[in-house]
Amino acid sequence: MLAAEGLDVAYGDFQVLWSAGIRVQEGEVVCLLGPNGAGKSTLMNTLSGLLKPRGGHVEFRGKRIDGVPPHEIVGEGLAHVLERRRLFPYLTVRENLLLGAHHPEARPRREESLRWVEGIFPFLTDRQKQLAHTLSGGQQQMVAIARGLMARPRCLMIDEPFLGLAPKVVQDIGAVIQQINREGITIVFIEQNVELALRLAHRGYVLESGRVILEGPSADLLQSNEVKRIFLGG
Amino acid sequence: MTAEILLQSVISGILMGFVYALIAAGLSLIFGLMEIVNFAHGEFLMLAMFGAFWGWALWSVDPLLSLPLTTLALFVLGVLTYKGIIRWILGGPMLAQIFATFGLAIFLRSAAQFLFGVDFRLIQNPWVQGRISLGGLFIGLPQLTASAAALAAFAGLYWFLRRTETGLALQATAQDRQAAALMGINTERMFALGWGIGSACVGVAGSLLAIFFYVFPDVGATFALLAYVTVALGGFGNVPATLLAGVIVGLVEVLGGMLIAPAFKYAIVFLLYLLVVLIRPQGLFGKF
Ligand SMILES: Nc1ncnc2c1ncn2[C@@H]1O[C@H](COP(=O)(O)OP(=O)(O)OP(=O)(O)O)[C@@H](O)[C@H]1O
Ligand SMILES: [Mg+2]
């Protein structure tokens, strides 16, 4: 469904990704692992079109999307929830959600989508008029995911959905990720906690210093000595 | 007697305040969108006033009649400024950004001096003139008209920003450009639109001011300075707050001029500006 190959990405002269790539099948949950600064966010931002790769290519559902601007990529069915939620802080929860369905493919189904995400996150119903920046961190993360879902994506990418959240909220969001995956949405997410990530994902990719150094089914990665070396310093 | 004069000044301060608010709203909108101060905003206002003036002088078209066309012309000027200049310097150094619009301001002012001369021009016999008296107070009809129309334009702008899909997209772009792009918003188009609307604000304001204010190449300077103060007062990028901020500036201007000395009226406005910048740099009302 989503395939990236040979991605070279740089900020100015500072190259961050070196021939990186991933492949995601329809219906999968895939996680991107790696230490701080490994280039996970950079990779995801390249897939959603926020960054243009210097080399390599990205295909989504059989279509080349590298070089396509981000506001068009979301219309193809690939949505992206940015690191640190990035809600529109001075707009209401409802306005944030509506904007999730701004693109022409999703807009006609907006009200229906709104009811759908309210079913997934019931607290949304009472918070419609609240300004986004006044929500708690966990609620903001849920609104961010809900906003991503409003785009009616076939594949949803989430950058560090669990960052800074209480254990209870981490569990809730993990359950939501599984639920929406069961509804047929392919998931790619970034997480630094190996155990947590691999419990949720079918497969994982490990990035280090801008290179994909390891990939495989979650069970294999959990056993891997390489993963232990990188993440547990063992 | 003194109470009457005071009341008279308060009214005229509020009336001018609405016009200042509209001018400042355009500046604030552009700033909120891309953190660029359009130093040519006053010159855009001057062009709008000249547009209104020449429409009257050459074809006897009243400024109120030519207002839609002048506004449209300013909208186009704003879009062209974005596409022709601003877009190319966005990633550039701060100084380049300042000098680009500053240079444009100087260019427009010199061009106006060259083409139209430095004379002060006044439109004679506009549609609305004279004054009405309200229990001993006199209110100039041109000022009243300009004020009411500026307020209406401001309300229209507010409605557009808060109640339309495009307005929402514009706000989203101002608050988080990358997140907005991921919503399917063409942020490049929003920038151009923001410059168009921001400039259209002075298209309206310029047409209205031309009814009762002298038109000359430097006329934008004073209004632009007042607009900077208004924007700072309301909070940079906070468009709705410029309404109250504009009224405050209008009041401080007339009351300062009356209670202290006319020559000092701008000095007092800038004193207010300095106080705000030092004590509440985020503006009185913070971020929108
Ligand atoms: N906008 C930028 N400009 C310049 N360098 C950047 C920029 N964003 C990221 N980098 C650099 O690129 C490298 C990879 O960053 P990236 O954010 O992709 O890492 P990450 O794996 O997501 O890390 P984290 O776990 O901290 O989120 C880092 O060295 C970072 O400093
Ligand atoms: Mg990251």
Side-chain angles (χ1 to χ4, degrees):
Chain A
M1 162 174 252
L2 176 64
E5 230 176 73
L7 292 177
D8 291 320
V9 180
Y11 297 101
D13 288 334
F14 180 52
Q15 185 159 350
V16 169
L17 288 186
W18 305 80
S19 196
I22 63 167
R23 302 184 79 84
V24 180
Q25 306 296 324
E26 183 141 23
E28 273 191 311
V29 178
V30 171
C31 68
L32 306 181
L33 292 159
N36 282 323
K40 307 177 296 292
S41 297
T42 303
L43 175 58
M44 201 171 262
N45 292 351
T46 309
L47 298 176
S48 65
L50 289 173
L51 295 171
K52 305 273 164 269
R54 233 171 232 197
H57 56 86
V58 184
E59 253 182 40
F60 183 66
R61 303 179 67 228
K63 208 165 159 183
R64 277 287 289 265
I65 57 165
D66 50 281
V68 176
H71 65 266
E72 288 176 20
I73 288 180
V74 64
E76 301 286 334
L78 181 59
H80 179 184
V81 179
L82 285 163
E83 191 173 351
R84 300 183 183 282
R85 353 231 191 259
R86 302 277 290 271
L87 297 176
F88 304 114
Y90 302 98
L91 295 182
T92 64
V93 168
R94 182 182 165 81
E95 288 167 331
N96 268 277
L97 293 174
L98 289 179
L99 280 165
H102 178 83
H103 70 82
E105 269 75 24
R107 215 182 298 180
R109 300 164 70 190
R110 205 176 239 191
E111 290 301 323
E112 178 202 328
S113 304
L114 210 49
R115 283 191 295 278
W116 176 51
V117 297
E118 279 174 359
I120 298 171
F121 301 106
F123 85 98
L124 288 175
T125 315
D126 300 330
R127 302 295 175 130
Q128 299 277 329
K129 293 214 162 89
Q130 198 169 332
L131 291 184
H133 75 94
T134 63
L135 296 172
S136 72
Q139 289 170 339
Q140 288 194 26
Q141 185 64 63
M142 294 188 212
V143 175
I145 294 173
R147 187 177 68 175
L149 290 172
M150 288 292 292
R152 288 307 180 112
R154 287 161 187 279
C155 177
L156 181 66
M157 303 194 290
I158 318 174
D159 194 339
E160 305 220 27
F162 307 114
L163 192 70
L165 301 182
K168 166 83 175 80
V169 187
V170 169
Q171 255 190 0
D172 291 349
I173 290 180
V176 163
I177 288 177
Q178 285 173 323
Q179 180 190 344
I180 55 186
N181 178 245
R182 276 196 302 274
E183 293 190 29
I185 298 169
T186 307
I187 306 280
V188 181
F189 72 98
I190 294 176
E191 172 54 38
Q192 310 234 17
N193 180 330
V194 186
E195 306 256 323
L196 175 64
L198 293 176
R199 212 169 49 223
L200 213 56
H202 303 128
R203 285 195 308 120
Y205 286 83
V206 181
L207 273 83
E208 196 183 24
S209 314
R211 291 181 170 83
V212 175
I213 54 161
L214 214 58
E215 63 165 290
S218 298
D220 296 0
L221 289 180
L222 271 173
Q223 301 303 318
S224 147
N225 289 325
E226 191 79 348
V227 169
K228 286 186 187 127
R229 174 188 67 77
I230 296 170
F231 293 99
L232 306 172
Chain B
M1 178 65 197
T2 347
E4 263 168 29
I5 294 178
L6 193 68
L7 201 55
Q8 184 102 41
S9 302
V10 167
I11 290 172
S12 93
I14 292 173
L15 291 183
M16 274 317 275
F18 289 150
V19 181
Y20 295 158
L22 181 61
I23 300 171
L27 198 61
S28 199
L29 180 73
I30 293 169
F31 183 86
L33 206 51
M34 49 211 320
E35 307 202 332
I36 282 188
V37 174
N38 179 14
F39 286 103
H41 202 60
E43 279 60 38
F44 285 10
L45 180 79
M46 175 270 292
L47 288 181
M49 290 176 76
F50 265 111
F53 174 81
W54 288 116
W56 169 81
L58 298 177
W59 301 293
S60 330
V61 179
D62 191 84
L64 288 179
L65 192 61
S66 59
L67 184 146
L69 199 65
T70 308
T71 304
L72 182 67
L74 264 291
F75 180 92
V76 172
L77 177 66
V79 171
L80 290 180
T81 304
Y82 173 71
K83 297 211 168 201
I85 303 173
I86 307 302
R87 185 154 57 118
W88 307 101
I89 52 156
L90 265 184
M94 188 70 179
L95 223 51
Q97 302 191 0
I98 291 173
F99 280 116
T101 57
F102 206 68
L104 181 64
I106 292 171
F107 169 77
L108 292 175
R109 211 185 289 188
S110 321
Q113 281 168 4
F114 177 75
L115 292 171
F116 311 140
V118 293
D119 302 343
F120 283 47
R121 299 163 192 270
L122 194 62
I123 290 178
Q124 313 290 333
N125 290 318
W127 282 353
V128 282
Q129 46 186 317
R131 54 189 195 170
I132 51 168
S133 99
L134 271 177
L137 297 176
F138 293 102
I139 301 169
L141 273 177
Q143 284 84 345
L144 190 62
T145 309
S147 181
L151 189 59
F154 196 98
L157 177 66
Y158 184 78
W159 173 83
F160 167 77
L161 286 174
R162 297 298 303 172
R163 293 280 173 268
T164 68
E165 183 71 26
T166 309
L168 208 55
L170 207 61
Q171 287 188 72
T173 307
Q175 291 177 24
D176 193 325
R177 191 182 307 183
Q178 280 190 325
L182 292 174
M183 304 294 107
I185 295 167
N186 185 342
T187 53
E188 186 66 19
R189 192 186 290 166
M190 288 301 137
F191 288 157
L193 182 68
W195 273 83
I197 295 174
S199 308
C201 286
V202 292
V204 176
S207 302
L208 296 171
L209 285 172
I211 307 175
F212 62 95
F213 213 88
Y214 284 103
V215 181
F216 54 101
D218 286 346
V219 68
T222 312
F223 287 108
L225 281 172
L226 292 174
Y228 300 137
V229 176
T230 307
V231 170
L233 206 57
F236 277 90
N238 187 339
V239 175
T242 54
L243 186 61
L244 195 52
V247 171
I248 293 174
V249 168
L251 282 174
V252 169
E253 184 191 358
V254 287
L255 293 179
M258 194 185 72
L259 299 175
I260 302 172
F264 279 113
K265 64 179 185 180
Y266 296 124
I268 291 157
V269 172
F270 292 119
L271 192 65
L272 175 70
Y273 171 74
L274 286 180
L275 283 176
V276 168
V277 169
L278 291 175
I279 298 167
R280 253 188 94 78
Q282 73 274 41
L284 294 179
F285 311 102
K287 186 116 176 119
F288 175 40

